[in-house]
Amino acid sequence: SEFKTFAPILGHAGEGNLHLNPGFNPMNKDDQRKMQILADQVYKMVIGLGGSITGEHGDGILRAPYVQTQFPHAFPVFQELKKIFDPLEIMNPGKILAEPGLIPLENIKYWMPEPATGRFRQNADLIFKCHGCGLCRTYCPAFQGLESKLALPRSKVAIARALAQNLGNEGILGSKELTALLNACYSCQRCSVMCPTGVSVPRILEPLRAWQRDRDSLSLRPLILERGGDLLNLLKKLPAPMLELAASAPAKTALALFGINPEASGLLQKKDVSRIKARKARRETGNRKPETAQLKIIYFPGCLEGSLEPDIYAKTVNILEKLSADYLVADDFCCGLPALSAGNMERAQGEAEKLAEQFMPLIEKGYRILVNCPSCVFMFKESYPLWLSETGKRIAENTITFADLSSELKEKIGRADTAPEFIYHRACHIVGMGEPDPALSLLKATGLAPGSILELCCGAGGSFEMKKENAQASAKIAAVLKAELQRKNAETVVSACGLCRRKIRSLGFETKSPLDLISELIQ
């Protein structure tokens, strides 16, 4: 009653071990002081009753000031042993053998210095959601591929938290270790739904990426990666000889000099040249039917689909034609994900603003944005509301996939009499958006149920595989998926993600888009 709070108590009856959890807010200064006083009273009471304040977790830093009170006679011996084995005081200084006093507030995980603003204090609510359980070991592709604790999401959060709390020197941001840490995040967003507390590690890392990107503003590789969308869109405009050159071995060798993995799935391949030529031959702006059409669509093919997947582009347009839609094709736009992944927040948000400027007048007239790429869908639905406030929310609300047009498709699509055998691969950003899976829902609604569903990452990971130092880790992640596909005797793999399809194809399997299957049923 003195502290006007309550404390749920749980524990282990067999060993008489109790955990007290007072309802204090560690970020509130008054509550911080109450924590110190209450802890002091409880610890002294427990010691006075002949109990131990450490329970099952040891002394560490937080309870170190009470070790002398707990062991008054043994404490001098502890100190002598410490001097014998650590005369220079370099092994965990300040832990266990601290001077008597109250619990140290600066070592509490959940606190923020005043003023609670600064370069690394964005997304503080997300930083403090992580409680360090380590479940991310089971689902983070980067950790599973690199097998490094630095690549573990909770490690990234811990470093971000330390910087936000002024516990880390900004100088570490130029270190190789921090560069490796940032490179080891896919931005796959699996953590946003698979973490028990919903921690989005890519969002937590955004200010760190931006700071590092500013320091590396003259580095060529980030410039290439953050402009990935523009470079892919540029391919549609290049003459054939330049396309052939861009897909050649010497071009790949040149990219390797700048740290680009020449074997990356996202790079232009020789077989892509004919696809680009086909795309150039059918460069449509849309089919306007404002007088008669009830369905108004802005078709957003995105970078990969708009450049390297003319078949998916054509099938999308064909379905819109069958639906008698009033549609426009939003070509030469990028959702901003490449820039976001490379740490160029200004460019990423600039792409969003550019897109919003073009799309919002149409949205006000009843148009919706049709997107096939899961990564673009994720950006529109998750990032744009954060960047563009109400405008971003409007874009998110009006971003759809073909699954949202199931009622319109119902009269034009027949159920498959004999469903083809295939394995459905859930791309990372589809996993990151949670349930239901729109592409899978559409397939099942038309009688196209997969033989099995896999959520294993393909290893491409957007720009992850593009980085030369990640080539081995990417191959290792891909090998796990390949082994599972072989175990299931897979022949055809259906994935909604174009980059995943390219990667899985390189593993020796036939790949299809959901639209490949749906198009066969369109009457």
Side-chain angles (χ1 to χ4, degrees), residues 240-430:
M242 293 189 68
L243 283 174
E244 298 283 356
L245 178 62
S248 66
K252 304 282 182 65
T253 302
L255 287 173
L257 296 175
F258 298 107
I260 302 291
N261 174 18
E263 304 299 323
S265 307
L267 289 182
L268 183 68
Q269 310 293 332
K270 287 186 177 181
K271 57 189 175 184
D272 291 323
V273 175
S274 60
R275 295 192 180 105
I276 296 172
K277 291 178 180 177
R279 174 69 177 88
K280 289 170 71 174
R282 181 171 182 169
R283 185 173 174 81
E284 301 185 21
T285 57
N287 187 6
R288 304 302 304 279
K289 300 177 181 178
E291 299 86 5
T292 60
Q294 294 182 344
L295 181 61
K296 299 179 183 294
I297 294 293
I298 306 167
Y299 169 38
F300 184 85
C303 313
L304 195 65
E305 187 173 310
S307 302
L308 304 182
E309 295 190 308
D311 51 338
I312 304 301
Y313 176 93
K315 286 169 183 174
T316 300
V317 168
N318 179 58
I319 293 175
L320 292 175
E321 295 278 3
K322 294 285 187 180
L323 294 175
S324 299
D326 168 12
Y327 70 93
L328 305 100
V329 178
D331 234 337
D332 298 330
F333 284 95
C334 177
C335 67
L337 180 59
L340 177 64
S341 299
N344 194 333
M345 292 293 297
E346 183 178 354
R347 183 176 183 82
Q349 294 183 18
E351 295 279 6
E353 291 166 0
K354 174 184 170 183
L355 189 146
E357 183 180 354
Q358 296 293 320
F359 287 7
M360 280 307 297
L362 294 166
I363 288 175
E364 296 298 337
K365 294 179 180 179
Y367 285 80
R368 290 180 290 174
I369 309 167
L370 176 68
V371 190
N372 295 320
C373 172
S375 298
C376 294
V377 173
F378 190 93
M379 286 293 289
F380 291 163
K381 287 187 173 291
E382 301 295 330
S383 294
Y384 280 35
L386 297 174
W387 297 344
L388 305 178
S389 301
E390 290 303 317
T391 297
K393 291 178 183 177
R394 291 276 285 149
I395 291 174
E397 292 166 356
N398 288 280
T399 296
I400 64 172
T401 68
F402 272 115
D404 297 291
L405 299 179
S406 57
S407 60
E408 289 86 348
L409 284 168
K410 191 174 182 179
E411 295 181 0
K412 300 291 183 180
I413 197 168
R415 289 183 64 87
D417 295 327
T418 57
E421 293 185 5
F422 66 93
I423 287 178
Y424 181 73
H425 172 257
R426 298 192 75 205
C428 287
H429 278 124
I430 284 185

Side-chain angles (χ1 to χ4, degrees), residues 500-517:
C500 290
R501 291 195 295 271
R502 290 173 71 88
K503 181 66 177 180
I504 295 170
R505 201 177 303 134
S506 74
L507 301 178
F509 301 92
E510 179 190 15
T511 63
K512 288 187 177 183
S513 162
L515 281 190
D516 289 321
L517 302 183

Side-chain angles (χ1 to χ4, degrees), residues 39 59 91 102 126 206 240 333 419 457 522:
D59 304 302
M91 297 170 62
L102 301 177
L126 289 178
E206 283 176 5
F333 284 95
C457 180
I522 292 288

Side-chain angles (χ1 to χ4, degrees), residues 152-172:
L152 190 65
R154 73 174 178 186
S155 299
K156 299 165 191 171
V157 175
I159 291 175
R161 182 173 60 242
L163 289 168
Q165 295 173 323
N166 293 337
L167 298 179
N169 187 333
E170 285 188 3
I172 70 170

